[in-house]
Amino acid sequence: MFRSKISGLGYYVPDNVVTNDDLSKIMDTNHEWIVERTGIHERRHKVLEEDTTSGMGVKAARKAMERAGVEAKDIDFVVFATLSPDYYFPGPGVMLQKELGLNTVAALDIRAQCSGFIYALSVADQYIKTGMYKTVLVVGSEVHSAGLDMTTRGRAVSVIFGDGAGAAVLTRSEDETGILSTHIHSQGEHAEELALIAPGMGGRWVSDILKDNDPDDLSYMPHMNGQFVFKNAVVRFSEVIMEGLEANKLQVSDIDMLIPHQANLRISQFIQQKFGLSDDQVFNNIQKYGNTTAASVPIALTEAWEEGKIKTGDVVVLAAFGSGFTWGSVVLKW
């Protein structure tokens, strides 16, 4: 049985910075209202005709590959996590495979929303552990800004989300470092508490929306039951972090760095306080980027590593919760 390790990290965010004050000019909100509820000060929105989900993923992947010291010919498999693909189909994995000039390797798309990168790491880890692949490229990328209701009607959701991409190259570990375990879960009974219902076969198709031309039709806008999501998130975050620690006979005190999905700073702070972790043991960057769903964990992980907050031998825990409901954790030794 092999072990996989993260050999390279990279991220990309658009140049278009959107502050809370910018949003206050187009909807009934203000900086204080947003910060109090989410902790977000600004986020990035795509540059029109420049940034795409697959394109941002390519830029993040190239950085990760360069840092890992691998070339296109070395990549055996691609796992691409997103809820905002360029096309309804095909998924962005094959588009990234083309742009990077990879061989005819498999490209798997993951639809687990905010937990997408955790799910993707878990899949990649299994392929490396079994010996099927040696080098796997894992990407999380999102373009939210094109699908948000940027009016007062949609402010509860639209102030939260941002665009960006993160990537990791997983390779076989030849020592005791690498991913120790992954843990993923779902609970579909709460699917519609955080969802975008249409367009889709389960909702109203594009032709129906265009025909009705109803300005009050919200089926194609993200819906979130904020309080319900928050209550479930703090419970599932706690459970899956402990599941990972217990699986590896570790204690909370063994955590050197916790990288939580950047859903809401208040959720991260709640978990930090519950586990008694110091500010040096938890990394947050939602203040700058908002919630980038599948890109959230790899962007934060990359920044924490770049800033020297993660060192060789550290026990690092990644955790996420999101639409589905889905949630998961990864425990690794750096």
Side-chain angles (χ1 to χ4, degrees), residues 10-236:
Y11 78 94
Y12 170 84
V13 291
D15 293 330
N16 183 22
V17 178
V18 179
T19 67
N20 293 341
D21 289 336
D22 291 333
L23 295 181
S24 71
K25 297 173 184 176
I26 59 175
M27 63 181 71
D28 183 14
T29 190
N30 58 67
H31 177 73
E32 292 72 24
W33 187 90
I34 297 172
V35 171
E36 179 184 354
R37 288 161 177 76
T38 69
I40 300 169
H41 291 241
E42 60 187 39
R43 72 288 295 146
R44 303 297 179 97
H45 284 179
K46 66 174 287 186
V47 176
L48 294 178
E49 300 183 0
E50 180 176 328
D51 295 312
T52 64
T53 296
S54 61
M56 293 193 301
V58 167
K59 292 177 181 179
R62 283 181 173 146
K63 289 182 180 179
M65 291 168 63
E66 179 182 356
R67 288 168 168 172
V70 302
E71 300 177 0
K73 63 180 178 59
D74 301 314
I75 303 297
D76 300 317
F77 186 42
V78 173
V79 189
F80 198 124
T82 189
L83 63 75
S84 54
D86 301 326
Y87 306 143
Y88 197 77
F89 64 86
V94 295
M95 301 172 73
L96 175 137
Q97 181 252 0
K98 170 194 170 187
E99 290 302 316
L100 288 177
L102 306 183
N103 295 323
T104 56
V105 300
L108 175 67
D109 297 295
I110 298 286
R111 290 294 305 273
Q113 294 64 253
C114 296
S115 305
F117 192 76
I118 301 296
Y119 268 59
L121 281 181
S122 183
V123 170
D125 182 48
Q126 309 313 312
Y127 275 105
I128 291 178
K129 279 182 175 177
T130 59
M132 184 168 183
Y133 297 129
K134 293 181 179 180
T135 306
V136 180
L137 175 60
V138 181
V139 178
S141 183
E142 303 286 7
V143 171
H144 288 296
S145 57
L148 297 173
D149 181 357
M150 302 301 289
T151 69
T152 299
R153 179 180 62 180
R155 66 178 179 177
V157 172
S158 58
V159 302
I160 297 172
F161 292 96
D163 304 339
V169 173
L170 267 63
T171 59
R172 287 182 184 175
S173 174
E174 298 179 359
D175 51 38
E176 294 302 310
T177 62
I179 293 177
L180 304 181
S181 63
T182 66
H183 310 270
I184 52 178
H185 300 273
S186 69
Q187 189 176 16
E189 66 184 283
H190 299 315
E192 295 185 3
E193 301 296 342
L194 177 52
L196 196 159
I197 306 301
M201 296 303 181
R204 298 173 61 247
W205 192 238
V206 174
S207 56
D208 300 318
I209 295 171
L210 292 175
K211 181 181 68 175
D212 294 345
N213 194 27
D214 181 1
D216 295 321
D217 178 13
L218 301 181
S219 64
Y220 58 93
M221 292 296 176
H223 162 75
M224 179 173 64
N225 182 345
Q227 289 189 343
F228 188 80
V229 172
F230 188 100
K231 290 178 181 178
N232 278 266
V234 294
V235 170
R236 297 307 192 185

Side-chain angles (χ1 to χ4, degrees), residues 228-286:
F228 188 80
V229 172
F230 188 100
K231 290 178 181 178
N232 278 266
V234 294
V235 170
R236 297 307 192 185
F237 259 114
S238 301
E239 288 179 350
V240 82
I241 290 170
M242 288 307 303
E243 180 182 2
L245 292 176
E246 290 170 1
N248 295 285
K249 297 181 173 55
L250 296 171
Q251 306 295 321
V252 171
S253 58
D254 293 315
I255 298 176
D256 294 299
M257 179 57 68
L258 170 64
I259 308 283
H261 160 55
Q262 304 295 293
N264 186 310
L265 185 59
R266 308 309 165 211
I267 295 176
S268 296
Q269 291 172 332
F270 183 96
I271 298 302
Q272 177 179 344
Q273 183 178 15
K274 180 173 182 178
F275 284 110
L277 300 173
S278 69
D279 290 343
D280 292 333
Q281 292 173 285
V282 183
F283 187 83
N284 290 297
N285 62 3
I286 190 172

